[in-house]
């Protein structure tokens, strides 16, 4: 075998290794992305679906959609923010709204409270953490044992039934 043939074989092996690494990385990235999307979907459904927010499981295995009662309040939430919805529906007092309005502009918590974000583009794991932070701020000024999901559900129901 000549040096030229050895050189061609070495180049072919090197190219095959590079292609294999690229394909392996692409497959791994795809799998990680799919897992993240599945987690995001479960968190989204725990907030806005038919399931139980504590188990992240849908009550009906075929239910993989947003509960229709939340659709309009979610659209309003994107535009005016959670503070306005909670105050207008009477779920939170004016004082509770002031207790919660402590987050800096540009944070997820601020966007949730004041609107200006899109549920279509939100990372639900960050959304969930932000809602926990808002819940913590709220509970510094209240003894109400309910969590953020309970407050949100009550506000959405009041809006949907015009009970506010």
């Amino acid at each position: 075998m000549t040096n030229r043939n050895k050189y061609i074989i070495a180049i072919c092996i090197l190219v095959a290794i590079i292609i294999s690494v690229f394909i392996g990385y692409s497959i791994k990235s795809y799998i990680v992305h799919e897992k993240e999307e599945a987690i995001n979907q479960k968190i989204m459904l725990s907030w806005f679906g038919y399931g139980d927010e504590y188990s992240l499981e849908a009550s009906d295995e075929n239910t993989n959609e947003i509960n229709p009662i939340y659709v309009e309040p979610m659209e309003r939430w994107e535009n005016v923010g959670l503070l306005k919805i909670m105050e207008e529906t009477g779920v939170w007092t004016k004082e509770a709204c002031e207790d919660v309005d402590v987050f800096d502009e540009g944070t997820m918590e601020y966007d949730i409270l004041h609107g200006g974000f899109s549920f279509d583009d939100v990372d639900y794991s960050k959304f969930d953490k932000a809602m926990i932070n808002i819940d913590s701020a709220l509970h510094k000024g209240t003894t109400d044992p309910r969590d953020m999901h309970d407050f949100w559900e009550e506000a959405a129901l009041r809006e949907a039934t015009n009970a506010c």
Side-chain angles (χ1 to χ4, degrees), residues 59-137:
S59 56
D60 175 359
E61 289 185 25
N62 298 323
T63 302
N64 198 22
E65 58 189 39
I66 293 175
N67 188 330
I69 203 161
Y70 294 133
V71 174
E72 284 185 33
M74 285 173 69
E75 290 171 358
R76 192 154 177 267
W77 186 349
E78 289 177 329
N79 297 316
V80 301
L82 187 61
L83 277 177
K84 188 167 185 96
I85 291 171
M86 292 300 191
E87 188 174 3
E88 286 179 357
T89 58
V91 174
W92 288 350
T93 63
K94 187 168 184 71
E95 293 78 24
C97 290
E98 290 170 1
D99 289 343
V100 171
D101 196 10
V102 296
F103 298 97
D104 295 330
E105 192 170 346
T107 63
M108 173 70 84
E109 291 86 350
Y110 184 90
D111 292 343
I112 287 169
L113 292 171
H114 295 279
F117 74 101
S118 170
F119 281 109
D120 293 336
D121 302 327
V122 77
D123 177 340
Y124 280 97
S125 60
K126 290 179 182 176
F127 173 85
D128 197 47
K129 289 176 186 169
M131 291 298 281
I132 291 168
N133 292 338
I134 293 169
D135 186 59
S136 294

Side-chain angles (χ1 to χ4, degrees), residues 6-47:
K6 289 179 184 177
Y7 179 74
I8 291 173
I9 291 172
I11 294 292
C12 289
I13 291 173
L14 182 62
V15 168
I17 290 171
I18 292 171
I19 290 172
S20 297
V21 168
F22 178 75
I23 290 171
Y25 179 76
S26 297
I27 291 171
K28 181 182 176 193
S29 295
Y30 175 77
I31 291 170
V32 167
H33 176 74
E34 288 298 310
K35 285 182 181 179
E36 287 173 352
E37 285 296 316
I39 291 169
N40 253 351
Q41 180 75 4
K42 284 184 178 184
I43 294 171
M44 186 266 303
L45 290 174
S46 75
W47 278 97

